[in-house]
Structure formats: structure tokens, C-alpha cells
Amino acid sequence: MDLNYTDEQKAFRDEVRSYLAEELPARLVNKVRLGKTLTKQDHEEWHAILNKRGWLAGNWPKAFGGAGWDAVQRHIFEDEMTRASAPRIVPFGLGMLGPVLQKFGSKAQQDYYLPRILSGEDWWCQGYSEPGAGSDLASVRTTAERDGDHYVVNGQKTWTTLGQHANKIFCLVRTSKEGKPQEGISFLLIDMNSPGVKVRPIVLIDGEPEVNEVFFDDVRVPVENRVGEENKGWTYAKYLLTHERTNIAGVGFANAGLENLKRIARLEQANGRPLIENPHFAARIARIEIDLMAMSTTNLRVVSKAAAGQAPGAESSILKIKGTVIRQEINALTRSAVGPYAMPFASEALEDGSNLGPVGPDYAEGATAQYLNNRKLSIFGGSNEIQRTILSKAILEL
Amino acid sequence: MNFELTEERQMLQDGLRRYLRDSYTPSIRAELKKCDRGYSLDVWSGLAEMGVIGALFAEDDGGFAGSGFDIAVVFEELGRVGAVDPLIDTAILGGGLVAALGNDAQKPVIDAVIDGSVQLAFAHGEPASRYDLSRVETSATRDGDGYVLNGRKAVVINAPAADQILVSARTSGDAADRDGISLFLVSASTPGLTLRSYPLVSGGQAAEVLLEDVRLGSDALLGDEGGAFEAITHAQARATLAISAEALGLMESIRELTTDYLKTRKQFGKPIGKFQALQHRMADVLIEIEQARSAVINLAGHIDHPEEIREKHVSATKNLIGNVAKLVTEESIQMHGGIGMTDEYELGHLAKRLIMVDHRFGDAIYHLDRFISLAVA
């Protein structure tokens, strides 16, 4: 038992920290701190900076142009990134598709797509969910019918995050209706510029079009764009989900959010005193901080197992539930902390280039939007109810 | 960063688990309920022989381990079987305080603790002090070369079996001052010291300790006059770690009992564990127990850090343990239904022991309040 980083790990942390201090643009830090919407260019700018240093794909092996970090190093990197208020790395190409191509893709697919993910030439989005297939992912209905050297794709995907920026989409499609629902699924790479692809934004309750519907109307996709075997897509989809679950605890986000909450609660006044001195408010902060202290260690226990080569299994369900509940509670407390200034709808002021000053304190502006937006945390990536079912089957064996 | 047990601790854990599984038979438990001492002499000497007591002390004090993770390993195992042996009282608190404050003439007590021949108790809390460590009204007045003690100590666990009792008393200052608290090593047979003994809900025995003109020589004083508070705080931090780890062991056993029950008990033609209403609640119990394990690790890893850091972890961990203990106890009884209400079934003892954890060394509310002043405000 040793809760401390090794000297090597400490040196790595210092290296990341000083790199971020030098290379992370102040303009981006400011946007992240105030909860402003990041543009496509913002993301691309930051990706390019990290890519120059070779740190954009921490989870990829060096052979594919990644950093080849182990789980502890990745944890340190993510922790430092959130500490520094860096924009998060957009995960669809780097965190999700990349590992799938490396494990199951053809040599040609690897050679063509992986460098384009690193360089930013391609922006991928995720075509998993459908109107009828949310947590029950295997009930995919979008079809791909074989026509010579092509598949013809028809159907609809939804909740496609940042699909408005994407030029490529990886999709689960139904290639067979035989057998169990899981057995007829294939994994296709689709160019969003193909005729018949249509993207429609969905404005969420925070006022932002973060997600989209994507429609496929007789879209022709070359057969060579299928990853792995036909009807084996479920295997690749699940493999992708295990990567989606790394950093699922979001400890860094929670720490940054808690620090921000405490700062606000010291600035806000209640009954002539700092809000943080109100015993009821202080108690709610304390409870979440105590839970977070334990969760950080729960997370490190899983991380250190992963670094030792044990693939995280159902433990990630524990991290998903605990991590999301903690972050949502921090968001709720932050919304409470700003009082009446939680009410003004500030969508325009959160856009880049807006010259509107905030109505109230600057920290109040994004509080409600962030609270509303993060209700998604317990819904996406397998809802927290799905995670509980996984735990009761995989660990409790009920 | 490494969350594996060292080879030595792994051996300690394996050996202790086997020993306790064989020792804590249902018939022993039934016997213990009736016995005035509250614990089994055989088990106690077995623990001493195995070196379990020695594992709670540092080498400088005659033991061979004594770090936070040694305490955590030992007490988690004790918790798993619902052991009632007074290791917290005799070893962590009593022995720990003698180790911290004792002089050469007093230190041999530690050897006797480690070889299992002496029982100790720590008489500190009072009827009015609740969980406040510095509130001491029992007085010690100078009397020639020695002291005269007067006062009453509340719920002193293991006092009925103790050969010597560590008594705190105020030699100066006001009732809640940190300065002015002194500690005395008092033989249980000293005139003027009387016990009103009683059994505990969690098993084991305790007593109200009445001190009426108890005359002690100056050789009874542990450490400097008026300067015991810091050592008491540190000893209580280690005791909080011990009881938190014990709670973790209790939680693990209760979880196993309850999941087994969910798999076997049938209603409406299927095991009740097939009902999602129970599956999801049991998943929450599982998650919170993992949090409890992390909280114990956090405290174990910081137990010998400077006071400011250490005490923040003490309160964070004890608050979380108190909350999780309540959840695990109540959910396990509920999911068992009627059988969970019976005194005969194994769950009863474990559940009572777990729920009583919140009543020692500060409850969840006390530590939430304390955490706020240490870390939030």
C-alpha cells in the first residue's frame, strides 16, 4: 500500500504541468473557466498543440503515433489537464474509434484513418444511439443492405454529440435480422459528405445544440469501410465502450468544480456573511467533498489495477455512478450558490465573440446551463440504472 | 502508487482470517453473550501468540509493525467475524498512549499488552463531553507529591476486565481547554475507583467509572502534567482508523450474508434477488462499501501525517463510515425481512455492532461539523 506517486510518476506530472503552463492558451483557459461554449476551431487549436508534443493520443501505442502511456500516466495527464482548465480532448476519434481500428481494423484502415485523427483532418462522431435504441443499444434498426461493393444504409441515429462539426461517423448498423439482436450488427465508417446524409441539430435544455440527429437515406458506403467482420459489430462496439469508460469517474472535473463552488460560496453573501459560513450550505459542500475524497481513491484503485494489466470490468460501473452523481451534486450546489443570478438565460453571452457583459457576476453566468447540461451524465454511456443492473449481475451475481 | 498488500501484511491477513474463522464459532458467540468479561480469554491469548497485538505497535515500542495499514488489515479481519475482543481499548488506545507518553518505568506495560497478559481501558469521555476530546471535568488536584482524582467517566469500554485504567483528568484550565489535561495510569484496584459495569449492544463490556478521592502517586502520571491532549488526539485518530476498518469488515460480511439470502430466498416463484427493486438497492450498497474501503485506505495512508492533514482525513473517513454503516445495516435488515429481525440469526450481531460504530469516537454529524471547520470554512 502506497498512496504516493513514484518518483518517475512525479517527474511526469511536473513535466505535464509545466508544459500546460507554457503551451495552453490563456484565451482557452478563460473560456473553460467561465463555462463558455468552445468552437470547433478552439478544439482543433488545442488538439494541434498537444499533437505537436506527441500527447494527443495518450492511450494509443507508440507504433500508431500515440504516447503509449499506462493507466496511471493517463490519469496524471487528465488530472493535470482539468487542473489547468484545459479544453477536454474530443474523444470520438482519439478515445473511441482509434482503439477499435488498432485492434480490429484492416491495415489499410489503420494507415489511412489513424494519422488523419491525429492531424485533425477528420472529426469523427459516434453513430450508436437511435430513437428506439438508447440504453438498449443492441436493438439497432438502421439497416445496411449489400449492393455489390457497397452497403446501402437507411435509418436514423440520434444524440450524436458534436456531429455538426464532424465529417465522419462510425455507425452500428443492422446487416442481419437472424438470431439474437446482438448477432446481426456491423460496424461501418461513413463519410458524412456522402449523398443522403442529413444532420439536424437538437437544442438541449441548456440552450445549446450539443447533439444532433443524423439521417441516412440510401447512403452508399463502400464495403471496405466495414471494420472487422460482417455481423460481428457488437464485439467491436463493446470494446469501444470499455474505452469510453476510461476516466469515467471524472475526478478532475469534480475537483475543479468543487474548487469553483467553494470560491463562489466565499464570494456570495447570505445574511451579511459569506455563504460558505451558512451551516446548511457548508454541510452540503462537506458531504460532497468527503464523498469525492473517497471516490478519488476508488478511482485510483481501479487505475492502478489497469496499469498492472488487469482490464477494468464492472468496477467502471461503480465509478460511473459515483462519479456522475458527485458531479451533478456539485453542479446543483453551484446553481444554488449563485442565487437569483441563476435565472437569467445567458445563451448568447456564452457564445464566442459576444460583447455582452454578464448580467450578474461572471461566475453565475454558466451555472444553470452547466447544471442542466450535466443531467446527461447519469443518462449517457449506459444510464446509471443500466450500471446498477451490471453491478448486480457481474459483481453481486444476483 | 500501489494498492496491493505487502507480503508481510498478506500473511498477517491470511493467518488472522483463518484463525478467526475457526475461533468465532456460533457456540463461542453464544457463550460470550453470557460472560461478564465480554471476550474470550482463549481467543485473546491466541491473538497474542499469533503476533496480532504486536502488529499494532512499532518496533521501537516492542512490536513489529504499527503503521496505518497494519491497523487496517487487523481490524478489517476482526470486523468480518464480528469479533468483540477489546483490541482498540487495550492495544490501540491504552498501549498506544503508554507508548506515546510513558517513561521507562511505565513502558513495560506495553510488553505485557503485546504478550496478552494485561488488559487496559481508556477512561476519557464523561457524561457531559459527548464526543468533544478536550471537555474534561474530572479533576486531578495536587496532593503533596501526588494527585487526588474526582469525577465520573462514561461508557469506558473494557473497564470491567482492565487491570489498569488510563484516566484523563484536568490539572488546570477550564472544562473545554486543550491545555491542562493530564493522563494517569491507575490500577483497577485503587481505593476510590468504582465501576458500574454493563454489557454493550455490540457485545463486550463497559462501565461507568466513578472516581472519589482517588489518591495517586506522581509515578502514575503519564507524560507531562497538563500536556496529554495531543497524544490523546493522535491515539483517537488511530482508534478511529481501527474502528473504521472494523466497520468495513462488518460491511463486507453483511453484504455476503445479504446477497446469499437474496439468491436463496424465494417469493412469487423466484429468488428475490431477481427483483430489480432489490438489485439496484444492493448495487448501491456495494458502491458505498467500496467508498468505505477507499475512506479507510485514505485514513490509513495519512495516519502519521501532520495533525492538520491527519485530522481532516479522520473526520472525512469517520463521517463516511457512519453514513455507510447506517445504509448497510438498515438495507440488510430490510432485505432479509422478518429473519433479519431475529436475535438468533447471524446478521443481528453484525448489524448491531456496525450501527454502534457511529457512537464511538464521534458520529457522522460530529465529524461533518468538524470537517467543515477543518476543510471547508
Side-chain angles (χ1 to χ4, degrees):
Chain A
M1 286 278 184
D2 187 357
L3 301 188
N4 302 307
Y5 288 134
T6 62
D7 287 344
E8 270 175 33
Q9 288 163 342
K10 278 185 202 151
F12 176 70
R13 181 193 62 196
D14 295 344
E15 190 188 356
V16 173
R17 193 171 290 182
S18 62
Y19 182 80
L20 291 175
E22 278 166 35
E23 298 293 330
L24 174 58
R27 187 180 67 80
L28 294 181
V29 170
N30 202 37
K31 288 183 82 168
V32 170
R33 290 218 170 121
L34 293 176
K36 301 225 178 223
T37 310
L38 293 168
T39 63
K40 185 180 184 185
Q41 288 71 34
D42 291 336
H43 286 296
E44 286 173 339
E45 178 187 348
W46 180 228
H47 279 201
I49 293 171
L50 288 174
N51 192 37
K52 202 175 61 192
R53 183 67 183 78
W55 285 356
L56 182 57
N59 57 327
W60 292 13
K62 283 188 173 156
F64 292 114
W69 291 332
D70 69 16
V72 176
Q73 286 175 304
R74 294 207 296 275
H75 169 79
I76 291 170
F77 181 72
E78 280 154 4
D79 197 36
E80 291 302 320
M81 288 266 284
T82 38
R83 241 174 237 272
S85 300
R88 67 166 193 156
I89 292 176
V90 181
F92 309 106
L94 290 155
M96 297 182 186
L97 181 63
V100 170
L101 290 180
Q102 287 155 23
K103 183 142 172 105
F104 302 107
S106 67
K107 177 85 170 51
Q109 286 168 343
Q110 293 171 351
D111 288 347
Y112 180 72
Y113 289 114
L114 294 176
R116 292 168 62 91
I117 293 174
L118 291 175
S119 69
E121 273 168 279
D122 287 339
W123 183 303
W124 285 90
C125 62
Q126 181 180 24
Y128 269 35
S129 294
E130 298 184 1
S135 288
D136 179 14
L137 197 55
S139 64
V140 159
R141 279 190 305 185
T142 295
T143 55
E145 280 175 41
R146 199 58 187 267
D147 178 26
D149 292 342
H150 285 78
Y151 287 105
V152 179
V153 178
N154 280 290
Q156 183 194 343
K157 295 291 173 181
T158 192
W159 313 129
T160 313
T161 304
L162 300 183
Q164 68 269 37
H165 300 328
N167 63 328
K168 305 268 193 227
I169 182 168
F170 54 88
C171 280
L172 298 185
V173 294
R174 183 153 301 286
T175 37
S176 164
K177 293 192 170 77
E178 307 291 311
K180 288 199 289 183
Q182 287 85 350
E183 285 165 7
I185 293 172
S186 297
F187 194 108
L188 285 190
L189 309 174
I190 302 178
D191 191 328
M192 307 260 299
N193 296 319
S194 312
V197 177
K198 205 175 97 192
V199 178
R200 195 179 75 87
I202 304 172
V203 177
L204 296 180
I205 49 178
D206 63 348
E208 290 292 321
E210 187 183 30
V211 295
N212 301 269
E213 292 176 293
V214 181
F215 299 90
F216 301 90
D217 183 12
D218 283 336
V219 176
R220 294 184 71 78
V221 180
V223 169
E224 71 236 34
N225 282 17
R226 189 189 67 223
V227 175
E229 293 176 51
E230 191 172 86
N231 297 332
K232 292 281 161 64
W234 186 247
T235 308
Y236 320 138
K238 279 197 304 187
Y239 181 77
L240 182 148
L241 289 177
T242 63
H243 282 266
E244 188 185 37
R245 288 191 189 128
T246 58
N247 193 29
I248 198 156
V251 172
F253 293 114
N255 278 326
L258 180 68
E259 213 167 287
N260 186 46
L261 167 62
K262 283 179 163 180
R263 185 178 67 92
I264 294 172
R266 286 191 190 100
L267 292 169
E268 286 286 317
Q269 296 281 306
N271 208 12
R273 308 281 313 153
L275 176 61
I276 204 160
E277 292 177 18
N278 176 302
H280 305 286
F281 205 85
R284 289 185 66 185
I285 293 180
R287 287 195 70 149
I288 214 70
E289 182 166 353
I290 288 168
D291 222 12
L292 176 55
M293 284 166 72
M295 201 259 288
S296 306
T297 295
T298 308
N299 186 48
L300 289 176
R301 285 163 53 203
V302 176
V303 165
S304 94
K305 260 173 117 179
Q310 290 167 269
E315 290 97 336
S316 44
S317 296
I318 294 176
L319 298 177
K320 163 85 201 299
I321 295 170
K322 202 74 213 178
T324 56
V325 167
I326 286 175
R327 285 172 64 192
Q328 289 178 331
E329 178 64 9
I330 290 171
N331 289 144
L333 285 171
T334 307
R335 173 177 57 73
S336 294
V338 302
Y341 279 116
M343 289 194 285
F345 179 56
S347 176
E348 260 182 76
L350 292 176
E351 295 294 338
D352 201 22
S354 163
N355 52 12
L356 285 175
V359 184
D362 61 357
Y363 56 71
E365 212 171 39
T368 299
Q370 208 147 55
Y371 162 79
L372 291 170
N373 185 271
N374 271 349
R375 298 313 303 167
K376 74 188 175 191
L377 297 178
S378 49
I379 298 170
F380 70 20
S383 73
N384 286 13
E385 288 70 28
I386 292 285
Q387 306 298 339
R388 286 187 177 85
T389 300
I390 291 172
L391 287 176
S392 76
K393 298 233 184 323
I395 296 186
L396 298 170
E397 297 174 340
L398 290 176
Chain B
M1 210 172 61
N2 175 7
F3 293 92
E4 302 293 314
L5 291 179
T6 58
E7 206 175 312
E8 289 84 0
R9 291 197 189 107
Q10 190 67 58
M11 281 169 59
L12 178 66
Q13 184 183 63
D14 293 346
L16 183 54
R17 186 172 296 184
R18 246 176 290 134
Y19 175 72
L20 290 171
R21 200 179 44 211
D22 296 343
S23 313
Y24 266 88
T25 56
S27 64
I28 275 268
R29 287 218 187 115
E31 248 172 71
L32 285 175
K33 271 189 192 170
K34 293 177 215 138
C35 123
D36 289 343
R37 200 181 307 105
Y39 65 95
S40 150
L41 284 176
D42 287 346
V43 174
W44 188 264
S45 51
L47 291 170
E49 269 168 43
M50 280 185 71
V52 171
I53 306 177
L56 303 173
F57 289 90
E59 271 177 50
D60 289 351
D61 299 318
F64 59 85
S67 87
F69 291 111
D70 300 305
I71 295 175
V73 163
V74 167
F75 281 88
E76 183 182 339
E77 293 311 313
L78 292 164
R80 277 178 195 274
V81 294
V84 295
D85 308 270
L87 276 162
I88 287 183
D89 313 281
T90 295
I92 302 285
L93 290 170
L97 281 164
V98 175
L101 298 174
N103 56 34
D104 289 347
Q106 293 160 331
K107 288 227 167 154
V109 171
I110 302 169
D111 298 330
V113 166
I114 291 174
D115 72 24
S117 59
V118 140
Q119 286 289 340
L120 302 177
F122 178 39
H124 181 58
E126 300 178 358
S129 69
R130 200 175 169 85
Y131 303 119
D132 305 336
L133 272 187
S134 67
R135 186 166 295 275
V136 174
E137 291 178 39
T138 296
S139 64
T141 351
R142 278 265 187 193
D143 173 39
D145 218 16
Y147 298 87
V148 180
L149 271 59
N150 278 288
R152 179 181 163 185
K153 295 292 182 177
V155 200
V156 182
I157 298 184
N158 202 37
D163 304 292
Q164 301 200 59
I165 301 179
L166 290 88
V167 179
S168 63
R170 186 162 288 289
T171 38
S172 66
D174 292 330
D177 286 353
R178 290 172 168 227
D179 290 334
I181 299 170
S182 302
L183 204 55
F184 299 91
L185 190 58
V186 185
S187 164
S189 57
T190 309
L193 186 151
T194 48
L195 305 186
R196 185 192 159 190
S197 303
Y198 45 84
L200 294 166
V201 173
S202 55
Q205 294 273 329
E208 300 296 288
V209 176
L210 201 63
L211 302 140
E212 289 170 307
D213 291 331
V214 174
R215 284 173 199 281
L216 303 172
S218 61
D219 55 349
L221 182 69
L222 275 167
D224 295 334
E225 183 183 296
F229 183 77
E230 212 173 295
I232 290 173
T233 311
H234 195 187
Q236 173 140 317
R238 289 167 67 87
T240 303
L241 167 61
I243 205 168
S244 298
E246 185 187 341
L248 176 63
L250 285 160
M251 290 171 191
E252 293 285 10
S253 288
I254 289 175
R255 171 168 85 85
E256 279 165 32
L257 265 183
T258 309
T259 40
D260 284 350
Y261 187 77
L262 291 175
K263 284 178 205 169
T264 47
R265 170 69 169 169
K266 285 189 179 153
Q267 296 276 268
F268 306 104
K270 53 181 173 181
I272 58 174
K274 293 289 172 202
F275 294 108
Q276 204 171 48
L278 297 185
Q279 290 180 344
H280 284 197
R281 278 163 58 189
M282 205 57 211
D284 282 334
V285 166
L286 169 75
I287 292 168
E288 294 307 321
I289 295 175
E290 290 304 325
Q291 287 284 90
R293 178 169 298 282
S294 294
V296 169
I297 291 171
N298 282 347
L299 182 52
H302 294 95
I303 199 68
D304 294 319
H305 276 54
E307 183 178 341
E308 193 190 330
I309 298 168
R310 180 190 77 210
E311 291 304 318
K312 180 182 156 179
H313 282 280
V314 165
S315 283
T317 295
K318 192 62 169 46
N319 168 268
L320 190 139
I321 290 288
N323 289 330
V324 177
K326 180 171 181 292
L327 175 85
V328 173
T329 304
E330 293 172 1
E331 286 291 66
S332 64
I333 294 174
Q334 177 68 22
M335 289 191 215
H336 272 87
I339 191 79
M341 294 294 299
T342 61
D343 198 41
E344 194 189 355
Y345 180 56
E346 202 181 348
L347 176 66
H349 170 67
L350 299 177
K352 283 190 281 187
R353 208 162 162 81
L354 181 56
I355 206 69
M356 285 299 115
V357 163
D358 208 36
H359 295 264
R360 243 197 138 178
F361 312 129
D363 59 17
I365 290 174
Y366 169 86
H367 281 291
L368 186 69
D369 199 42
R370 192 162 176 268
F371 183 84
I372 290 169
S373 55
L374 291 168
V376 177

